[in-house]
Amino acid sequence: MACREIGRPYLEDSMNERLYNVDVYSDDWNPMFLQDVFRDSPEGFEDFCGQLLQDMGYSVTLTRTRQDGGYDIDARQNGRRFLVECKCYAQHNHVTRPLVQRLVGVNATEHADGLIFMTTSRFSQGAVQYALQTDVILIDGLELIRLTRSHLVL
């Protein structure tokens, strides 16, 4: 698997400046804020999610930006391997079941121990139901904010 490096600073200067200028505990730090920061840089959002996972104790490898094989991050913790897909979507654009199904399909060849799907948005009801059936961990925008406040070192 081709991969990218992760490490601070992990974002372009303009994104870092925007993230650092808003108090993570303020009401302004919300899913819409993150979506706005990363709107033009899906790779920046993947880096952000990778850094969050790293700060949560995972060992993280980012996949290459093009032809990533259906997942963005290979994360490992306590001898377990997780494939992570990241989508920076506007609040009205929910992650749907076919996107979660795609991640599950990728695991047929990767054989990871777990699957995680992270987004700035929400998951459709169909995506949530499918994730429950297939043990995919879903992290929506609100959970992403909660995890950021608890773990991310800015």
Side-chain angles (χ1 to χ4, degrees):
M1 163 182 53
C3 61
R4 298 180 281 146
E5 293 285 324
I6 187 167
R8 289 179 176 80
Y10 54 94
L11 304 172
E12 297 173 18
D13 289 341
S14 61
M15 286 183 230
N16 264 327
E17 185 176 321
R18 291 183 68 194
L19 286 174
Y20 283 112
N21 285 331
V22 175
D23 179 5
V24 71
Y25 296 102
S26 77
D27 290 340
D28 292 334
W29 186 275
N30 58 48
M32 289 182 292
F33 169 72
L34 290 179
Q35 190 275 326
D36 187 52
V37 169
F38 297 113
R39 175 184 340 202
D40 297 325
S41 178
E43 297 87 7
F45 182 64
E46 293 165 11
D47 292 352
F48 176 82
C49 291
Q51 191 62 60
L52 174 60
L53 290 167
Q54 199 168 47
D55 290 347
M56 292 171 63
Y58 290 83
S59 171
V60 172
T61 303
L62 297 168
T63 62
R64 60 185 171 190
T65 58
R66 302 258 191 269
Q67 300 174 346
D68 62 15
Y71 62 98
D72 301 312
I73 300 170
D74 190 318
R76 296 170 191 261
Q77 186 180 56
N78 300 326
R80 298 185 69 211
R81 180 179 178 219
F82 297 85
L83 303 182
V84 184
E85 180 69 1
C86 308
K87 293 291 182 194
C88 183
Y89 283 172
Q91 292 301 295
H92 66 276
N93 189 11
H94 296 182
V95 173
T96 59
R97 178 181 173 136
L99 290 171
V100 179
Q101 286 175 309
R102 181 175 177 222
L103 181 59
V104 171
V106 166
N107 201 35
T109 57
E110 292 293 328
H111 307 290
D113 300 301
L115 303 171
I116 303 171
F117 206 118
M118 304 173 84
T119 184
T120 52
S121 184
R122 299 180 191 144
F123 295 93
S124 70
Q125 184 176 1
V128 171
Q129 290 172 344
Y130 183 74
L132 288 170
Q133 295 168 350
T134 55
D135 295 322
V136 176
I137 299 167
L138 301 181
I139 300 175
D140 68 7
L142 293 176
E143 180 66 5
L144 188 61
I145 294 301
R146 189 192 71 73
L147 290 170
T148 300
R149 289 177 174 155
S150 299
H151 299 283
L152 187 69
V153 179
L154 287 174

